[in-house]
């Protein structure tokens, strides 16, 4: 049976731990100069992008090369997902050529539909609702710095968006206490929060960034307007005033608090440039760990 990675909550805690263990192992070996070209020899990953990307495209493409395989970039103008032919037919066609599909899409239903019809594994490289690869890399980053994920308090400052949703689901499975401070009307989806709580997770949704930051082990933020929300950017800039990760917020957190952002960043909005370069900033570790976490994912799904 093929396995997909469409959202974090589709996986069990032990599957996530296995992926994190393998990612750490692959990272250590890669740093030691050990080749992984025998892991996916000659395998191909088809990568569909409806939205732009730096990290996702580059880390998947280089990850496949490092594993001995190959990745194919299909941009918005190439296959015109949902316009030129149906998502079902795209999934069925790509399954005849490629060994796996990675897709960055607008509607989450599109990546779900790809997974339903494809006969090869489908990985969500970001949808409007989830960004599971980001959360996997982020948990790897926190684990490297703090050793124990359980007992860690992650405070997310800003929009209850795709990144927040995946972090909630990953936190719930791995024992991280999650709290988000967002303006009224920008809360994460109620079903996602309630499902995490039903599984026994500590998930708090509040509206005061200072309260969220107090004593936190991780301060995490993301853009106020996500891809596809460009027209709302000006209105959001007003609504999100006070929800910036800056020196003031950092001073309330734990002294060794990690500063995290999935990138790309809008400096001076959701984070100041100074806070992004704080001694405990791990922004570029997160970016690097996309490579190692996704190599683990590819090895588990495509081998
Ligand atoms: N964090 C992230 O997914 O970056 P890209 O949008 O550049 O892929
Ligand atoms: N929330 C952001 C994440 C980018 C990696 C977006 O969807 O644009």
């Amino acid at each position: 049976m093929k396995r997909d990675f469409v959202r974090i909550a589709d996986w069990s805690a032990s599957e996530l731990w296995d992926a994190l263990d393998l990612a750490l192992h692959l990272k250590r070996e890669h740093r030691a100069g050990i080749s992984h070209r025998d892991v996916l020899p000659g395998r191909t990953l088809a990568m569909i992008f409806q939205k732009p990307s730096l990290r996702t495209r580059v880390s998947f493409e280089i990850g496949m090369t490092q594993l001995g395989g190959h990745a194919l970039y299909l941009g918005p103008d190439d296959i015109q997902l949902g316009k030129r032919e149906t998502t079902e037919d795209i999934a069925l066609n790509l399954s005849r050529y490629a060994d796996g599909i990675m897709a960055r899409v607008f509607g989450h239903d599109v990546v779900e539909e790809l997974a339903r019809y494809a006969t090869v594994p489908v990985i969500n490289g970001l949808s409007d609702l989830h960004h599971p690869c980001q959360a996997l890399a982020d948990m790897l980053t926190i684990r490297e710095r703090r050793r124990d994920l359980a007992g860690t308090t992650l405070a997310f400052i800003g929009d209850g968006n795709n990144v927040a949703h995946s972090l909630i689901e990953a936190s719930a499975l791995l024992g991280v206490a999650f709290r988000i401070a967002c303006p009224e009307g920008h809360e994460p989806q109620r079903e996602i929060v309630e499902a995490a709580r039903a599984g026994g997770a500590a998930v708090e949704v509040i509206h005061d960034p200072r309260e969220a930051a107090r004593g936190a082990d991780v301060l995490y933020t993301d853009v106020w307007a996500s891809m596809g929300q460009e027209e709302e950017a000006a209105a959001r800039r007003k609504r999100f005033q006070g929800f910036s990760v800056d020196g003031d917020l950092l001073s309330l957190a734990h002294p060794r608090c990690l500063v995290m952002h999935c990138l790309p960043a809008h400096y001076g909005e959701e984070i100041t440039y100074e806070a992004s370069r704080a001694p405990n900033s791990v922004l570029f570790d997160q970016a690097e760990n996309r490579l190692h976490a996704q190599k683990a994912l590819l090895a588990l799904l495509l081998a």
Side-chain angles (χ1 to χ4, degrees):
M1 248 278 273
K2 66 129 178 171
R3 196 84 175 88
D4 304 307
F5 191 62
V6 170
R7 65 188 282 178
I8 294 277
D10 290 341
W11 281 37
S12 67
S14 72
E15 285 175 314
L16 274 192
W17 284 118
D18 286 349
L20 290 175
D21 287 345
L22 182 57
L24 269 179
H25 172 76
L26 291 173
K27 182 171 181 175
R28 282 194 195 113
E29 288 202 341
H30 179 72
R31 292 223 164 149
I34 296 168
S35 164
H36 297 128
R37 288 187 160 267
D38 56 349
V39 176
L40 296 177
R43 300 285 169 112
T44 302
L45 179 73
M47 307 192 297
I48 301 172
F49 282 90
Q50 284 188 317
K51 298 175 177 175
S53 166
L54 169 72
R55 281 146 292 272
T56 303
R57 177 184 177 176
V58 175
S59 56
F60 267 107
E61 194 162 331
I62 291 180
M64 279 303 289
T65 304
Q66 290 181 0
L67 295 171
H70 172 72
L72 190 70
Y73 174 76
L74 300 164
D77 294 333
D78 295 319
I79 57 174
Q80 300 181 26
L81 203 148
K83 287 187 207 135
R84 191 160 174 268
E85 55 194 313
T86 63
T87 306
E88 175 181 352
D89 282 8
I90 289 172
L92 291 170
N93 275 274
L94 288 177
S95 297
R96 298 295 179 105
Y97 304 126
D99 302 289
I101 299 170
M102 191 280 289
R104 165 165 287 195
V105 297
F106 287 97
H108 186 68
D109 55 323
V110 175
V111 67
E112 284 180 336
E113 203 177 343
L114 283 170
R116 188 172 334 122
Y117 291 110
T119 55
V120 296
V122 171
I123 297 172
N124 180 358
L126 181 146
S127 65
D128 286 348
L129 212 54
H130 293 278
H131 197 359
C133 296
Q134 184 66 52
L136 191 65
D138 295 340
M139 290 300 158
L140 179 63
T141 308
I142 300 172
R143 193 178 176 198
E144 282 178 325
R145 293 295 181 123
R146 289 188 44 90
R147 295 194 173 275
D148 274 337
L149 286 175
T152 296
T153 299
L154 189 161
F156 189 101
I157 311 295
D159 191 23
N161 62 14
N162 43 10
V163 171
H165 289 152
S166 289
L167 287 171
I168 289 172
E169 294 190 343
S171 297
L173 284 173
L174 301 174
V176 172
F178 182 95
R179 57 189 188 228
I180 179 169
C182 57
E184 302 265 2
H186 293 278
E187 293 82 6
Q189 279 204 348
R190 188 192 299 264
E191 305 82 67
I192 292 174
V193 172
E194 281 173 4
R197 285 182 184 149
V203 181
E204 252 187 287
V205 180
I206 57 176
H207 300 102
D208 179 354
R210 295 174 67 84
E211 188 185 334
R214 208 157 281 133
D217 301 303
V218 177
L219 272 188
Y220 198 118
T221 191
D222 183 15
V223 290
W224 292 336
S226 286
M227 291 179 277
Q229 299 173 330
E230 289 77 8
E231 285 179 4
E232 294 175 36
R236 281 171 174 260
R237 262 196 295 278
K238 284 195 192 123
R239 248 177 276 148
F240 281 78
Q241 282 310 312
F243 287 83
S244 295
V245 171
D246 56 13
D248 180 38
L249 224 51
L250 257 179
S251 69
L252 297 170
H254 188 281
R256 286 193 304 280
C257 174
L258 302 180
V259 177
M260 298 183 77
H261 190 313
C262 57
L263 302 174
H266 291 165
Y267 297 118
E269 293 188 16
E270 75 277 0
I271 191 165
T272 60
Y273 179 80
E274 293 70 31
S276 79
R277 264 59 178 176
N280 289 323
S281 157
V282 289
L283 273 56
F284 300 103
D285 294 320
Q286 293 173 259
E288 178 187 339
N289 282 338
R290 292 291 300 277
L291 174 71
H292 307 297
Q294 290 160 193
K295 278 171 71 181
L297 204 55
L298 291 164
L300 290 169
L301 296 179
L302 268 59

